[in-house]
Amino acid sequence: MQSWAIPKGPSFDTTVKRMAVQVEDHPLAYARFEGTVPARQYGAGKVIIWDTGVWTPLHDPAEGYRDGNLKFELHGHKLHGKWVLVRMKGKGEKQSPWLLIKEKDAFARTAAQYSVVDELPDSVAPLGLPPEAVPCTLPETLSPQLAKLVVAAPPDPSDWICENKFDGYRMLVRNNAEGARLFTRNGHDWTSKLRSLQDAFERLKLPPGWYDGEIVIPTEAGIPDFAELQQAFYLADTRDVILYLFDLPYVAGHDLRRAPLLARRAVLKRLLSAASSERIRLSEEFAGALEQVLLSACKLGLEGVIAKRRSSTYQGDRSSDWIKLKCGQRQEFVIGGYTNPEGARYGLGALLLGVRDAQGVLQYAGNVGSGFGQKTLQDLIKTLKPLLRITSPFAAESKIEGISHWVAPTLVAEVSFGDWTRAGRIRHAVFRGLRTDKTANSIVREKALRMPAVNRPGTRSNKAHLPASRTAVTHPERVIDASTGTTKIELFRYYGLVYHLMMKHLTGRPVSLVRAPAGVDGKTFFQKHIETEKLAGIRQVERAPGVGDSAMIEVTGKQGLLSAAQSNVIEFHTQNAVITSLAQPDRIVFDLDPGEGVTWARVQEAAQLMHSFLTQLGLPSFLKTSGGKGLHVVVPVRRLHDWDTVKGFSHAVVLHMARTIPQRFVARSGPTNRVGKIFIDYLRNGLGATTVSAWSARARPGLGISVPVAWSELPSLRGGDQWSVRTVHERLDAGNQPWNEYAKAARGLDRAIAALE
């Protein structure tokens, strides 16, 4: 290798001329050497591989070297673009110093903006490229490797690795110095649709290359949810999209396609292990026999598995070196028409589906008439009408009953179904969504390579294809708060965002729900009991003897919040006792409810007065906004007293405050009693009474939320509804921290009762 030493390192600034001293030629093996050269030897000291890649001469390199004006382009991990080495004086004088100068191009940056030596000082050797890696420039496009469908595991499982078959969109990332671009399997640029994922990828500072993977939105259980992914694109909100990477055909100026799969994955693993991200993850391998892996995947509700031959190269086409085994039947179909709706249904009755045969003729494959929501039907008919045509796009011999409307065969639908009939029709079909990442001309019937050789899971119903943890949102676009324009899907996503904070206040407590089917401006319903079999994540709890007769409900996790939100629940209220000890309450709630004419400053003053008096009684208290007009003061107590004692004590506190400061407080409810004053609602401390939970939204204009706050924050609060569903991000970092001491702050009431008397 002809070699130059650059004492200060390269600069992307075109005005900076870096000294480059030509040194003795090095053997090619030196390009892979890292370590320490012993003292008193040539080049003594630490040696790292600072960059690696490909150089491309821009003119005749022999002539440029001879004339002392060598121009070239670099395609490396750190260095990119056009450069020139200029000999300072004389021609052919090897001892004469050279200058390394960056040429003007898209990669040029001023020294004040960027110093590549300071920003990227580390070795790139950990890439550990396999010997099959071939130096190259990064191609503009990439044809992805595809898998063939089989119905049984291969005979020798030791030759294969197994991965999850993701229920999402195939996504290829082209990463270079200009940034990351995200492409579908057909080469469509989806970067603008996935800006937050692009940002997450670029923050990893991975070397240039093509990264192969799939995007999904997982459920709480980690199961990819295709319907949720489609909804994210429909709402233009892809912040929850995750990219699973499973292959690396190009990296750091090298083509790895001829390297074995395991070698490519090894490089990918090293890169991702050094660059942690929740949004960019490695597609892990499953251990065990493929048959057992498939059975486990099906039980978990996964779509299936992908098996890949360990030694396989990356061929950029459909190959039997990659195979897919599915838990159920599911594939894409071309839409060739639709039927009229029946009854109260809007838009269409069923979609007429087809697949291309070997000659490219569209063969009729049956229809799908289920799996549509009202919004989906509206969108579909709006999309289909411009495609209407007079003649059928299906093969002439296709027998299609009833009145049909034909459309140009350009749209692709993904459909799950029970099985194929002998006539080539699908049965028990369910519409899953449109596929904009696949072309209609490429859709053929997926046929297994061979007959089953192992026991497979039996055919399941359409419902069984969906894991129990999934929640489909109907009418996501429906506005539930006209004052802000907040939609149902926004509330749904809000509860998905704060569930980890909210469950601290919900877990183990009986819950009541406030439903608003027509939104906050319509009629609301308060429910303490509900058909829990219809709501995943919510269970029924039996009353303990002597503590009432009716059953109660409990939210058991994130899925309970989401399924309730899907059922138009806005508010979650909790009782002052836990399910395991219903006879003894473990907290007291004082709800500061301002009457007409009371200013916010008076509410703040009232909260501070309550805090001071409770402290005088020896009781710690905690503050939270109500999400409405007032504030809640919460006192944790030990489970030593019955309901009558606790309620009686809270009533006595309120009476004392009203007698002591009558110009501020009132002990009787009712709007006429509260004019200009604050009613301290103690009635929430009775058996069966509830208070809105922390982090719950309120079913009123603005969709304010109840948020735990510190007493030190009281003077700066702007209202009981300071934070809302749309502004919660301003408060998420604080979370439940203001209540960190709550769990160990509980006291008995005996001393406080004695002091009050």
Side-chain angles (χ1 to χ4, degrees):
M1 298 186 297
Q2 289 182 280
S3 307
W4 285 260
I6 306 167
K8 292 186 177 182
S11 172
F12 278 84
D13 192 327
T14 58
T15 65
V16 174
K17 301 175 181 179
R18 288 288 163 86
M19 182 69 71
V21 180
Q22 190 171 8
V23 295
E24 67 179 30
D25 296 344
H26 289 71
L28 289 174
Y30 193 73
R32 297 184 179 273
F33 170 74
E34 278 204 337
T36 302
V37 178
R40 292 188 295 276
Q41 292 191 17
Y42 180 78
K46 181 181 178 182
V47 176
I48 67 168
I49 300 174
W50 182 77
D51 199 8
T52 185
V54 175
W55 76 280
T56 305
L58 298 178
H59 304 291
D60 183 337
E63 180 181 334
Y65 177 70
R66 185 184 66 245
D67 295 341
N69 188 15
L70 181 58
K71 293 187 176 183
F72 50 91
E73 189 169 3
L74 295 180
H75 311 272
H77 182 180
K78 303 174 182 179
L79 298 180
H80 316 278
K82 298 176 181 179
W83 302 75
V84 61
L85 275 167
V86 180
R87 190 184 296 116
M88 291 182 66
K89 61 179 182 179
K91 295 184 179 180
E93 299 177 16
K94 191 169 183 178
Q95 292 73 26
S96 299
W98 297 63
L99 296 175
L100 176 66
I101 306 170
K102 181 72 185 72
E103 299 270 75
K104 292 181 179 180
D105 59 18
F107 300 102
R109 300 168 72 177
T110 67
Q113 290 177 316
Y114 182 67
S115 169
V116 65
V117 176
D118 295 328
E119 294 284 343
L120 301 172
D122 299 325
S123 167
V124 298
L127 286 173
L129 298 180
E132 295 85 357
V134 178
C136 70
T137 57
L138 188 65
E140 292 293 329
T141 60
L142 175 67
S143 179
Q145 175 86 24
L146 302 175
K148 287 188 175 181
L149 177 66
V150 301
V151 294
D156 187 0
S158 63
D159 288 343
W160 303 78
I161 67 168
C162 196
E163 301 174 47
N164 179 18
K165 186 182 187 306
F166 292 105
D167 196 2
Y169 288 128
R170 186 74 172 271
M171 197 58 53
L172 301 155
V173 183
R174 186 181 190 274
N175 186 47
N176 63 6
E178 297 175 347
R181 307 290 298 177
L182 290 86
F183 297 89
T184 68
R185 56 183 283 182
N186 290 315
H188 300 303
D189 191 336
W190 278 20
T191 311
S192 61
K193 300 179 180 181
L194 294 160
R195 288 298 184 194
S196 63
L197 190 64
Q198 178 196 28
D199 292 342
F201 192 98
E202 291 178 347
R203 283 197 297 271
L204 295 182
K205 299 187 181 300
L206 296 174
W210 275 101
Y211 295 78
D212 193 356
E214 186 131 349
I215 57 171
V216 302
I217 290 184
T219 64
E220 183 183 0
I223 308 300
D225 189 331
F226 184 69
E228 186 75 5
L229 180 63
Q230 283 210 315
Q231 199 166 64
F233 281 106
Y234 170 76
L235 296 170
D237 182 3
T238 57
R239 290 173 294 179
D240 293 336
V241 171
I242 290 172
L243 171 62
Y244 281 97
L245 294 174
F246 46 69
D247 214 323
L248 186 62
Y250 291 87
V251 70
H254 288 81
D255 181 352
L256 306 189
R257 292 177 300 168
R258 297 298 96 192
L261 170 67
L262 288 185
R264 301 194 304 271
R265 282 183 59 86
V267 179
L268 182 60
K269 285 181 181 179
R270 283 192 290 271
L271 290 172
L272 294 181
S273 64
S276 176
S277 170
E278 285 298 311
R279 302 285 303 280
I280 317 295
R281 305 178 186 178
L282 178 70
S283 172
E284 298 289 352
E285 303 168 21
F286 295 137
L290 293 184
E291 298 96 328
Q292 296 303 316
V293 172
L294 178 63
L295 287 171
S296 298
C298 296
K299 289 178 181 178
L300 288 172
L302 298 172
E303 188 185 352
V305 295
I306 297 286
K308 302 174 182 177
R309 200 181 301 275
R310 295 172 180 271
S311 59
S312 62
T313 58
Y314 194 95
Q315 300 175 37
D317 198 357
R318 200 172 297 277
S319 164
S320 57
D321 284 338
W322 286 22
I323 57 176
K324 51 188 174 183
L325 299 96
K326 293 186 176 183
C327 296
Q329 301 272 25
R330 182 163 171 164
Q331 74 158 79
E332 297 80 26
F333 294 88
V334 179
I335 299 174
Y338 60 92
T339 62
N340 289 324
E342 296 182 359
R345 192 171 200 175
Y346 170 84
L348 57 88
L351 295 175
L352 305 178
L353 307 173
V355 290
R356 301 283 180 186
D357 62 17
Q359 289 72 43
V361 178
L362 189 63
Q363 298 292 339
Y364 180 60
N367 63 62
V368 57
S370 63
F372 305 108
Q374 188 64 26
K375 176 61 176 174
T376 302
L377 287 169
Q378 293 173 355
D379 291 342
L380 275 173
I381 199 66
K382 186 184 299 184
T383 304
L384 289 167
K385 281 189 174 181
L387 302 176
L388 285 170
R389 53 185 273 179
I390 298 174
T391 58
S392 169
F394 298 106
E397 63 273 15
S398 301
K399 295 181 180 180
I400 304 174
E401 299 179 356
I403 300 175
S404 304
H405 303 277
W406 311 118
V407 298
T410 58
L411 297 179
V412 177
E414 179 156 347
V415 176
S416 61
F417 55 98
D419 207 347
W420 289 92
T421 68
R422 291 184 178 180
R425 307 288 189 266
I426 57 175
R427 298 188 298 179
H428 311 303
V430 179
F431 178 77
R432 298 300 180 191
L434 293 179
R435 294 298 297 251
T436 56
D437 61 325
K438 297 187 178 182
T439 61
N441 290 334
S442 66
I443 303 304
V444 298
R445 177 176 172 177
E446 292 186 347
K447 294 184 178 180
L449 297 180
R450 52 193 172 90
M451 296 300 291
V454 296
N455 292 328
R456 293 289 308 283
T459 302
R460 305 182 299 172
S461 69
N462 291 326
K463 288 185 178 179
H465 285 282
L466 293 173
S469 59
R470 290 189 183 180
T471 301
V473 183
T474 58
H475 309 299
E477 76 292 344
R478 182 165 58 82
V479 175
I480 60 173
D481 175 28
S483 69
T484 59
T486 304
T487 60
K488 182 179 179 180
I489 189 63
E490 289 181 274
L491 180 69
F492 183 88
R493 289 190 177 278
Y494 165 76
Y495 280 122
L497 179 67
V498 302
Y499 83 93
H500 61 293
L501 299 173
M502 194 170 176
M503 289 308 300
K504 297 285 187 182
H505 305 269
L506 291 178
T507 300
R509 291 188 184 275
V511 173
S512 299
L513 309 174
V514 176
R515 298 180 63 204
V520 300
D521 295 325
K523 187 176 181 180
T524 59
F525 303 88
F526 197 83
Q527 291 186 288
K528 293 187 177 182
H529 326 294
I530 201 166
E531 296 179 19
T532 55
E533 65 272 10
K534 295 182 179 179
L535 296 179
I538 295 182
R539 73 181 185 98
Q540 187 167 295
V541 180
E542 297 299 326
R543 283 276 198 185
V547 196
D549 300 323
S550 59
M552 302 169 295
I553 56 176
E554 177 194 5
V555 177
T556 61
K558 178 181 179 181
Q559 194 60 37
L561 291 172
L562 297 183
S563 59
Q566 153 59 14
S567 297
N568 303 309
V569 171
I570 293 182
E571 296 187 10
F572 295 81
H573 291 243
T574 57
Q575 293 190 21
N576 286 353
V578 294
I579 293 168
T580 55
S581 184
L582 287 170
Q584 292 85 31
D586 66 349
R587 73 183 184 197
I588 301 172
V589 177
F590 296 100
D591 180 2
L592 305 183
D593 191 359
E596 184 180 347
V598 176
T599 64
W600 175 245
R602 287 287 180 88
V603 177
Q604 292 170 296
E605 178 191 66
Q608 187 59 61
L609 288 168
M610 282 296 303
H611 179 47
S612 299
F613 182 54
L614 292 168
T615 301
Q616 187 178 351
L617 294 177
L619 296 176
S621 59
F622 294 80
L623 182 68
K624 71 183 180 77
T625 64
S626 68
K629 296 179 180 179
L631 294 167
H632 293 163
V633 178
V634 183
V635 179
V637 297
R638 292 179 180 172
R639 294 192 286 270
L640 303 173
H641 314 279
D642 60 22
W643 287 97
D644 290 341
T645 301
V646 171
K647 184 178 179 182
F649 171 74
S650 65
H651 189 195
V653 169
V654 173
L655 288 172
H656 176 83
M657 296 295 288
R659 286 195 296 263
T660 306
I661 319 175
Q663 65 272 36
R664 292 285 188 270
F665 299 107
V666 63
R668 297 181 62 187
S669 62
T672 57
N673 297 319
R674 288 184 291 159
V675 175
K677 298 182 181 181
I678 294 173
F679 170 55
I680 309 175
D681 188 353
Y682 66 92
L683 300 173
R684 301 182 182 278
N685 299 305
L687 175 62
T690 60
T691 305
V692 71
S693 170
W695 300 104
S696 172
R698 303 305 303 273
R700 56 190 66 186
L703 289 175
I705 57 178
S706 178
V707 176
V709 294
W711 283 107
S712 60
E713 295 180 276
L714 177 59
S716 63
L717 293 179
R718 301 188 302 274
D721 58 354
Q722 177 164 333
W723 295 284
S724 69
V725 167
R726 282 197 164 179
T727 63
V728 65
H729 60 278
E730 300 172 0
R731 186 65 183 180
L732 285 178
D733 287 344
N736 288 318
Q737 291 177 9
W739 282 30
N740 278 350
E741 302 300 316
Y742 181 92
K744 58 184 180 182
R747 302 283 190 272
L749 292 178
D750 291 342
R751 290 185 179 181
I753 292 172
L756 186 60
E757 290 176 345

